[in-house]
Amino acid sequence: MLVVYAEDDIEDYSFFTEVMELIDPQIECMNAMDGAQVMKYLEESGVIPDYIFLDVNMPTMDGKACLKGIKSDPRFINIPTIIYTTAPNPLDQELCMQLGASYYLSKPYSVAEAKASIQKIFNIEE
C-alpha cells in the first residue's frame, strides 16, 4: 500500500509514519511538503497512491486547494483523500466534504487514537 501525506511539519509526518508502521510495516509512506508537491507527484510519477492524506494549513498550496485539484482530475478522482488536521473547523469540514474528501479527521495526540482512526479508514480490524 502506498500512502502520500502532504504535511509541512516534519514532527507530524514522523508521528504519522510511526503509526503507519504499527498498522502494517509494509505500508509505504511518501511525504510532500505541500499540496503543490502532491499534484506534481501525481502528474509526474505515474503511480497512483492507495490513499492521500492532506494537512489543511500548508505553504504554497493548502490542503483544500490540493483536494480540489485531485477531485477535479478524472485520473485521480477515485483516490481516497483524507483531510488530516490539527485545526478542526466545522466550516472547513463541510467545504472539504463538498469538495470530495473521503474523511475529515482531527489529528489525535496519542498513537493509539491515531492508529484506531486510520485503521477504520483502511477497514482494518484490530
Side-chain angles (χ1 to χ4, degrees):
M1 177 187 311
L2 173 62
V3 174
V4 172
Y5 182 27
E7 173 59 67
D8 61 324
D9 183 322
I10 198 65
E11 288 179 17
D12 283 354
Y13 180 71
S14 294
F15 178 84
F16 183 82
T17 57
E18 178 184 333
V19 172
M20 290 295 142
E21 179 77 19
L22 290 171
I23 291 171
D24 182 346
Q26 300 298 313
I27 296 173
E28 181 183 346
C29 292
M30 202 275 309
N31 180 229
M33 296 303 286
D34 59 41
Q37 284 187 2
V38 171
M39 296 308 296
K40 183 177 180 180
Y41 173 81
L42 292 172
E43 291 287 339
E44 295 178 359
S45 75
V47 176
I48 301 296
D50 296 287
Y51 294 89
I52 298 173
F53 284 75
L54 301 171
D55 187 20
V56 172
N57 299 312
M58 295 179 289
T60 310
M61 178 186 276
D62 69 15
K64 291 179 279 190
C66 184
L67 174 64
K68 189 174 183 179
I70 292 166
K71 296 305 178 180
S72 67
D73 190 316
R75 296 171 296 168
F76 313 132
I77 196 168
N78 293 321
I79 302 170
T81 307
I82 297 91
I83 299 296
Y84 197 58
T85 181
T86 55
N89 174 324
L91 296 176
D92 275 351
Q93 181 174 0
E94 184 178 329
L95 175 62
C96 289
M97 297 309 287
Q98 288 173 356
L99 290 173
S102 302
Y103 298 91
Y104 187 97
L105 295 178
S106 296
K107 291 179 186 174
Y109 293 101
S110 77
V111 170
E113 282 180 283
K115 183 179 174 196
S117 64
I118 293 170
Q119 281 177 314
K120 285 181 187 172
I121 291 169
F122 292 169
N123 291 315
I124 297 172
E125 303 220 1
E126 189 75 284

